[in-house]
Amino acid sequence: MPPKTKTAFFCQNCGVESPKWVGKCPSCGEWNTFVEEVIVKTNNKQTVGSNGQKPNKPQKISDIETSEEKRYNTQNNELNRVLGGGLVPGSMVLIGGEPGIGKSTLALQIALNLKNHTTLYISGEESAQQIKLRGNRLNSDNDRCLIVSETSMENIFSHIKNTKPDILVIDSIQTLGTQVVESAPGSISQIRECTAQLLRFAKESSVPVLLIGHITKDGNLAGPKILEHIVDTVLQFEGDQNHMYRILRATKNRFGSTSEMGIYEMRSNGLREVSNPSELLLSSNDESLSGVAISASMEGMRPFLIEVQALVSTAAYGTPQRSSTGFDLRRLNMLLAVLEKRAGFRIGTKDVFLNIAGGIKVNDPAIDLAVIIAVLSSSMDISLPKEVCFAGEIGLSSEIRPVNRIDQRISEAEKLGFKHIFIPKNNSKGLDTSKFKIKIHFVSKVGQVFQTLFKQ
């Protein structure tokens, strides 16, 4: 019997299905997000298990055998760190990011670096000749990397059957379409069905699948929210095209931590791994300038030092301006209120501009102390000693709260040649200061740091 065709309405934001159009989505609450799509319902009622042969049987948790998954080494240390050690067989990894940020470049570098494995690189956006030109710019070659330009899922599975790849790369999921669904590629139903087919293939064949996904103008991954639920790992490629650095973060990872971060430098010959980001994020200017403070920050298990730049000036238009780049603006307003109320510094009538050097975004609360010191340095126009760095979270009563992994922060500062570091007093418990050559200052209030640095 031929398949039955019908139409349904799908929410473009969360992917929920409705038999008729509704103004407000009952699932996510967004307005005017439902679009009509043509779908095909098949009459296949066969019940199969995950292996496609027979249904799975319930087992006791004590009877389930486990073994350490052998991962594929991507030959990319930054990516391996974010993934939790490498690509897990049968996993699905989704990489999202702004257009032109380097998603396709990263995927092609991975495919070309895996010289011991057969990789099938499927592109729905570029021709094979365009990918070859990018490969020439990367100065890398791999005869086991197979390239094909295709958007039909039926043809893709035919190529997979003929080549039997060890790793599959899809660039991008929004360009694929299947005959099972009659809507256009990139629609909610097409993305959901194509991803489901690739998921079944990955789990049945134990071949890792690397997907590249588009994002919306709000920065979210395009397509239904179920796309992020289906895949095992979601990686976000961040950065500004005007800066050379790129940040790779994991927002979801079933096989590792989501707190790790990889740093790359975009060059004409591709993405270069940044093994020591501290040296690149710190300024090499020998001239001492006011408004610059160094913070010992952490991203997951990785310590690095970043430069906080602040500019405080008299408000020229009556209403003070507050601007922040790479740091939460609401957090900046809170810190300025603490300075005004608790520490007695009058900066309510001044413009305050804050910037994290290198174009990166930092969420570590331990950067608070460096932010406040940079603001005070610029307000008083007094430069800080270049061999001083800071680590501490600021509370609403101006107290300096303890931060995690203080040993690693101190070691990173000492390795880069800093002579002094200001850390919270409560972090002194259990800390062996004898193994560090750097002078450690334990402080509990913002006023103590101010008196020590500015001799007031």
Side-chain angles (χ1 to χ4, degrees):
M1 181 179 294
K4 298 179 180 180
T5 303
K6 74 169 189 175
T7 62
F9 293 85
F10 294 91
C11 174
Q12 291 180 301
N13 184 50
C14 65
V16 68
E17 182 180 352
S18 173
K20 62 180 181 179
W21 186 88
V22 292
K24 183 179 180 181
C25 177
S27 177
C28 64
E30 295 292 331
W31 286 88
N32 299 324
T33 57
F34 274 83
V35 293
E36 185 179 13
E37 295 180 6
V38 179
I39 61 175
V40 176
K41 289 290 185 180
T42 62
N43 295 322
N44 183 14
K45 296 183 179 180
Q46 181 182 2
T47 303
V48 295
S50 60
N51 58 3
Q53 299 296 328
K54 57 183 179 179
N56 291 325
K57 294 181 179 179
Q59 301 180 41
K60 296 179 181 179
I61 191 170
S62 57
D63 295 338
I64 300 175
E65 298 181 359
T66 60
S67 60
E68 187 69 22
E69 288 284 357
K70 183 179 180 181
R71 297 175 182 251
Y72 289 95
N73 183 4
T74 64
Q75 307 300 322
N76 189 309
N77 294 329
E78 297 297 302
L79 180 61
N80 286 341
R81 176 186 292 110
V82 178
L83 291 175
L87 278 173
V88 175
S91 64
M92 287 189 69
V93 180
L94 177 64
I95 301 178
E98 293 280 351
I101 202 68
K103 304 184 297 296
S104 298
T105 301
L106 177 63
L108 185 58
Q109 283 189 213
I110 296 170
L112 294 176
N113 289 339
L114 292 168
K115 299 184 183 299
N116 296 326
H117 304 281
T118 301
T119 306
L120 181 59
Y121 188 102
I122 297 174
S123 176
E125 300 178 342
E126 299 175 299
S127 66
Q129 290 76 18
Q130 290 175 299
I131 300 174
K132 171 64 176 177
L133 291 175
R134 180 185 289 119
N136 292 337
R137 291 197 302 270
L138 298 177
N139 296 324
S140 182
D141 194 12
N142 182 6
D143 290 337
R144 299 191 67 177
C145 178
L146 307 177
I147 308 294
V148 62
S149 181
E150 186 59 69
T151 58
S152 170
M153 287 300 300
E154 287 71 24
N155 293 338
I156 288 174
F157 281 113
S158 176
H159 293 310
I160 292 174
K161 183 178 179 180
N162 295 331
T163 58
K164 294 181 175 56
D166 298 320
I167 296 172
L168 179 64
V169 180
I170 303 292
D171 183 13
S172 64
I173 187 62
Q174 279 79 13
T175 63
L176 302 188
T178 175
Q179 296 177 3
V180 176
V181 181
E182 293 187 357
S183 56
S187 61
I188 300 293
S189 52
Q190 282 284 11
I191 294 176
R192 182 175 58 243
E193 181 62 28
C194 292
T195 306
Q197 291 184 20
L198 289 171
L199 177 67
R200 286 194 294 270
F201 162 74
K203 300 307 178 184
E204 293 173 5
S205 64
S206 296
V207 172
V209 179
L210 188 64
L211 304 178
I212 293 178
H214 299 166
I215 66 170
T216 63
K217 62 180 180 180
D218 298 326
N220 301 318
L221 283 162
K225 197 67 177 178
I226 194 174
L227 174 63
E228 298 180 52
H229 290 289
I230 289 177
V231 300
D232 297 307
T233 304
V234 179
L235 304 181
Q236 195 73 19
F237 216 25
E238 303 173 357
D240 188 346
Q241 295 187 20
N242 297 322
H243 291 83
M244 66 181 73
Y245 302 116
R246 303 287 187 267
I247 308 297
L248 188 66
R249 303 179 190 270
T251 59
K252 171 189 176 182
N253 192 356
R254 289 173 177 161
F255 306 109
S257 171
T258 58
S259 60
E260 292 296 341
M261 177 186 70
I263 301 181
Y264 296 89
E265 180 184 5
M266 177 60 80
R267 292 186 170 184
S268 59
N269 59 347
L271 292 164
R272 185 186 72 86
E273 301 174 51
V274 178
S275 57
N276 188 5
S278 300
E279 295 181 353
L280 295 177
L281 296 175
L282 298 181
S283 174
S284 58
N285 189 6
D286 295 332
E287 182 182 359
S288 297
L289 299 174
S290 62
V292 177
I294 308 300
S295 174
S297 181
M298 291 286 298
E299 192 69 31
M301 304 286 291
R302 186 177 195 177
F304 61 97
L305 270 65
I306 57 176
E307 184 176 299
V308 180
Q309 301 172 344
L311 178 62
V312 180
S313 62
T314 304
Y317 302 103
T319 304
Q321 300 182 64
R322 302 287 187 262
S323 178
S324 175
T325 303
F327 186 75
D328 187 7
L329 181 59
R330 292 174 297 181
R331 185 84 180 172
L332 173 62
N333 290 329
M334 185 271 286
L335 295 176
L336 295 179
V338 170
L339 281 178
E340 186 84 17
K341 178 72 175 179
R342 301 294 185 184
F345 296 100
R346 303 302 173 194
I347 56 177
T349 59
K350 297 182 179 180
D351 294 336
V352 179
F353 304 94
L354 189 74
N355 177 53
I356 304 299
I360 68 171
K361 296 180 182 179
V362 181
N363 298 317
D364 186 6
I367 197 178
D368 288 353
L369 183 56
V371 169
I372 279 186
I373 296 302
V375 169
L376 293 177
S377 172
S378 178
S379 178
M380 302 179 63
D381 200 19
I382 299 177
S383 61
L384 296 169
K386 298 199 66 174
E387 66 275 6
V388 177
C389 64
F390 308 89
E393 179 184 356
I394 305 299
L396 291 180
S397 60
S398 80
E399 81 276 13
I400 303 178
R401 301 177 61 82
V403 295
N404 63 346
R405 303 188 182 279
I406 193 64
D407 293 39
Q408 294 175 258
R409 300 176 194 266
I410 298 174
S411 298
E412 182 72 9
E414 185 179 64
K415 184 175 68 174
L416 292 175
F418 285 85
K419 305 297 183 184
H420 302 266
I421 183 171
F422 287 80
I423 65 172
K425 186 176 181 180
N426 287 339
N427 275 124
S428 61
K429 299 176 182 179
L431 180 64
D432 184 11
T433 59
S434 60
K435 62 181 181 180
F436 301 112
K437 296 181 180 179
I438 185 174
K439 185 174 182 180
I440 303 174
H441 301 264
F442 295 102
V443 289
S444 58
K445 291 284 185 179
V446 173
Q448 290 180 254
V449 186
F450 177 78
Q451 292 175 2
T452 304
L453 292 174
F454 301 107
K455 307 297 182 182
Q456 297 293 328

